[in-house]
Amino acid sequence: MRLRALLDTDALGLRLLGGEDELDRTVRGVMTTDLKDPSRYLSGGELVLTGLAWRRDTDDSEPFVRILAQAGVAGLAAGEAELGDVPDDLVLACARHRLPLFAVHESVAFATITEHVVRQVSGERAGDLAAVVDRHRRMMTSGPAGGGPDVVLDLLGSDLDLRAWVLSPAGRLIAGPKVGGPALPAETCATLAGEHLAAVRTGRRGPHRMLVGSTPYSLFPIRSWGHRPPGAGAGRPPQASRDVRESVLSDWLLAVEADAGDWPEERLDLVHGVTQLIAVERDRRDAARTVRRRLAQEVLELVQTGAAPAEIAARLRVAAPVLLPGLGAAPHWQVVVARVEWEGGELEGGPVAQSLLEEILVDPSSTGPEPSDRIAVAHTGDEAIALVPLPAVGGESDGADPGVMADALLKAVREPLAAGLDDDGRLTLGVSAAVHSAEGLRGALEEARHARRVAAARPGRVCAAGHQELASHVLLLPFVPDDVRRAFTARLLDPLRDYDRRHRAELVPTLEAFLECDGSWTRCASRLHLHVNTLRYRVGRIEQLTSRDLSRLEDKLDFFLALRMS
């Protein structure tokens, strides 16, 4: 806005005291100060408001005005409440430095002027940003990407003073402003993503507003333009998916550090335009994954149809440079299998599982979309299968990168994903061990599928299991029917529990300790602080009540499983 426009607003109570020839200066902001030297807070273009508390005598005006002029401020407005009339020495100093000077009537608060200037400047900047957004949108829909989401977020920060971040549905930071304060903490990202997914699943209209601590956020969905029906024009906004479950776990979101509840329609339209702009970039990057997805599909088809290892190895040699460019040695490989299932069974979960695997297999501490470019994921039906390359560490004898661990895989994303699955969806994953050659891929695929079935037998909306668990009794227990487990446990342990209850004995704890000590009398007696003879008496009582022999491996194993299932 121009200084001249301030004089045309009667409510501001401004009276021009000098600088009529400079009224076309542009006002870019406003600052209130009573410091003798406010230069550190000035960047140029401000309307400076002062109550003159810095002035002690006539000699103070010249240095104060000189500092403002050197900083390139647009003008000075002095309040009349403190001294009555604005002093002549200040008027003369402003005239010497060609600095426009206004008097502010004592009935007008500086806050009123500040609010007016900020509103006008923000409105003009919003219009400028809208033009930039429109230009970028046209560029991105007709040619190469225009710098990615970071460019638009920086514009939001510089032109509208809005800090904003692009997040994945799992809460990973995809993009954020390069300037303007510290990065968004990972815990906050996960909280915002979970709230957004919960709001989408319950059908609430966006933007979704929430507080994290005392900080307000407004959450806007970034709808993929890939959801447009065939024939939709390039300039039209994305269409809603037929079923929200098809996209809720794959769409990004824009988190703005502000409460959008009282925003004017123009600003809301602007931010919605930003989300569409980012959606175009998202679709471009999804399209770039087509090659990796095709490679994964080809390799898996060879593995599942029993192709010769040499043929699989040849296909892997093609995939390795795409997934790990610049890699000198052949990588090791892991297989991860994911399944998304919705109640009713009418909705295919494979595409959703594919998008999720491409997201959650990325290190949650990494930012940007690029790390997912090293993962190839195919899908069939409700199942998605990922080939994860692991760079070999040193020579063959040194082993490889430990790779994906099932326990850690879902740690950072379980809460937001559970919100997106709501009460009618389930995600289960299985992780294989690393294999060093094409010969091992078929076994790795079956291992990952078996681990996923173990995860599926557990309670919860989001579950994972790894290859480590397939070598233990834990593999068997989830597949034993509940009534069989209860009967087996009752037959072995109920006699001991009844005895402990009637006699205040400790046969069950003694049995647990005895098995944990591998049947060693001395170690078990030491752990329980018992004499060995007392321990022998208790074990004898256990054997008598259950008709079992704890010197036999079979009976030890039965007791061990019964305790684990109880």
Side-chain angles (χ1 to χ4, degrees):
M1 66 176 301
R2 307 287 181 181
L3 280 176
R4 190 180 305 281
L6 297 175
L7 289 174
D8 296 334
T9 307
D10 294 336
L12 299 184
L14 295 179
R15 182 164 47 90
L16 183 64
L17 299 180
E20 184 174 359
D21 295 336
E22 303 292 330
L23 291 182
D24 285 329
R25 291 187 181 186
T26 300
V27 179
R28 295 186 176 87
V30 62
M31 189 196 70
T32 301
T33 184
D34 277 312
L35 295 174
K36 294 182 70 173
D37 182 4
S39 58
R40 73 184 75 177
Y41 304 110
L42 298 171
S43 58
E46 297 93 343
L47 172 66
V48 175
L49 306 177
T50 181
L52 301 176
W54 50 267
R55 183 182 179 277
R56 293 291 181 265
D57 55 50
T58 57
D59 294 333
D60 291 336
S61 294
E62 171 62 25
F64 180 81
V65 173
R66 183 171 63 250
I67 289 170
L68 298 187
Q70 290 173 348
V73 304
L76 174 64
E80 295 179 324
E82 183 75 20
L83 301 178
D85 292 335
V86 175
D88 291 338
D89 49 275
L90 181 59
V91 175
L92 293 174
C94 287
R96 281 193 297 271
H97 292 279
R98 302 179 62 83
L99 182 66
L101 175 64
F102 302 87
V104 182
H105 193 272
E106 62 181 4
S107 63
V108 178
F110 282 174
T112 301
I113 301 174
T114 300
E115 181 180 355
H116 176 82
V117 173
V118 169
R119 188 187 303 117
Q120 295 299 316
V121 171
S122 296
E124 292 174 5
R125 288 179 176 174
D128 293 342
L129 182 59
V132 172
V133 168
D134 184 62
R135 183 170 68 253
H136 275 248
R137 183 187 294 117
R138 290 197 301 271
M139 289 174 58
M140 295 179 73
T141 54
S142 61
D150 306 76
V151 174
V152 183
L153 299 184
D154 285 339
L155 285 170
L156 282 175
S158 62
D159 283 18
L160 291 185
D161 197 26
L162 289 177
R163 298 180 68 212
W165 300 264
V166 177
L167 306 179
S168 78
R172 190 171 66 87
L173 183 63
I174 301 296
K178 296 177 183 177
V179 295
L184 202 61
E187 298 80 5
T188 302
C189 290
T191 300
L192 294 174
E195 171 64 20
H196 173 73
L197 292 177
V200 171
R201 286 307 313 272
T202 55
R204 283 157 46 196
R205 292 177 59 86
H208 313 302
R209 296 147 55 204
M210 66 175 299
L211 287 175
V212 178
S214 59
T215 304
Y217 291 91
S218 296
L219 311 176
F220 297 81
I222 299 174
R223 306 289 190 195
S224 172
W225 281 47
H227 294 151
R228 288 180 301 169
R236 289 173 56 183
Q239 304 297 318
S241 175
R242 291 188 303 273
D243 190 319
V244 69
R245 294 174 298 177
E246 293 178 331
S247 60
V248 65
L249 295 176
S250 58
D251 282 345
W252 290 351
L253 68 133
L254 179 71
V256 181
E257 189 181 86
D259 186 344
D262 56 354
W263 281 5
E265 286 297 322
E266 293 79 9
R267 178 166 287 206
L268 286 173
D269 287 344
L270 171 63
V271 175
H272 284 302
V274 168
T275 66
Q276 293 175 20
L277 179 61
I278 296 172
V280 174
E281 181 69 8
R282 165 71 189 274
D283 284 346
R284 288 187 183 279
R285 287 171 174 170
D286 278 352
R289 291 177 174 173
T290 302
V291 173
R292 294 187 297 278
R293 290 173 173 176
R294 186 186 306 121
L295 286 172
Q297 194 72 45
E298 292 174 354
V299 171
L300 291 169
E301 286 177 359
L302 291 173
V303 169
Q304 295 184 96
T305 56
E311 188 177 358
I312 299 174
R315 183 57 59 187
L316 286 176
R317 283 194 294 273
V318 174
V322 176
L323 298 175
L324 288 176
L327 186 69
H332 300 166
W333 299 90
Q334 263 184 299
V335 177
V336 180
V337 172
R339 194 175 182 91
V340 171
E341 297 170 287
W342 303 102
E343 290 183 7
E346 74 284 354
L347 187 64
E348 187 179 275
V352 178
Q354 183 180 47
S355 295
L356 282 178
L357 271 188
E358 288 173 334
E359 171 57 37
I360 65 180
L361 285 173
V362 179
D363 181 353
S365 64
S366 65
T367 59
E370 289 74 17
S372 61
D373 292 350
R374 293 189 171 189
I375 300 159
V377 187
H379 79 83
T380 54
D382 290 330
E383 184 181 69
I385 304 168
L387 286 174
V388 182
L390 307 175
V393 180
E396 186 69 29
S397 61
D398 294 331
D401 186 324
V404 177
M405 304 296 291
D407 290 340
L409 188 60
L410 299 177
K411 182 178 180 181
V413 301
R414 178 175 276 109
E415 183 177 345
L417 291 184
L421 292 162
D422 199 20
D423 59 357
D424 61 349
R426 229 181 150 225
L427 168 66
T428 52
L429 294 99
V431 183
S432 79
V435 295
H436 304 171
S437 63
E439 289 87 344
L441 271 183
R442 184 175 179 83
L445 176 58
E446 291 306 314
E447 188 175 58
R449 282 175 167 163
H450 210 96
R452 192 208 63 78
R453 289 193 288 270
V454 170
R458 296 171 175 168
R461 289 286 167 192
V462 182
C463 299
H467 61 90
Q468 303 92 336
E469 301 176 59
L470 303 186
S472 76
H473 63 282
V474 178
L475 171 65
L476 305 175
L477 298 185
F479 302 102
V480 178
D482 288 344
D483 54 348
V484 176
R485 295 169 68 175
R486 285 192 294 269
F488 179 76
T489 302
R491 184 168 64 252
L492 281 177
L493 300 183
D494 280 2
L496 306 183
R497 291 166 175 159
D498 291 343
Y499 187 89
D500 284 348
R501 193 162 44 248
R502 292 197 310 270
H503 301 280
R504 296 183 180 179
E506 295 184 347
L507 296 186
V508 173
T510 300
L511 174 62
E512 289 179 312
F514 186 72
L515 294 175
E516 289 172 1
C517 292
D518 298 324
S520 169
W521 296 98
T522 54
R523 281 196 289 126
C524 184
S526 175
R527 175 182 292 191
L528 296 175
H529 305 291
L530 298 175
H531 192 277
V532 171
N533 289 341
T534 303
L535 176 61
R536 290 185 184 277
Y537 171 80
R538 288 188 181 181
V539 170
R541 178 61 68 184
I542 291 170
E543 294 174 332
Q544 180 185 13
L545 292 170
T546 60
S547 300
R548 297 294 184 114
D549 183 354
L550 278 169
S551 65
R552 298 177 67 246
L553 176 61
E554 296 90 336
D555 288 342
K556 287 180 181 178
L557 181 58
D558 281 351
F559 277 122
F560 177 78
L561 292 174
L563 288 168
R564 287 302 176 96
M565 287 190 291
S566 63

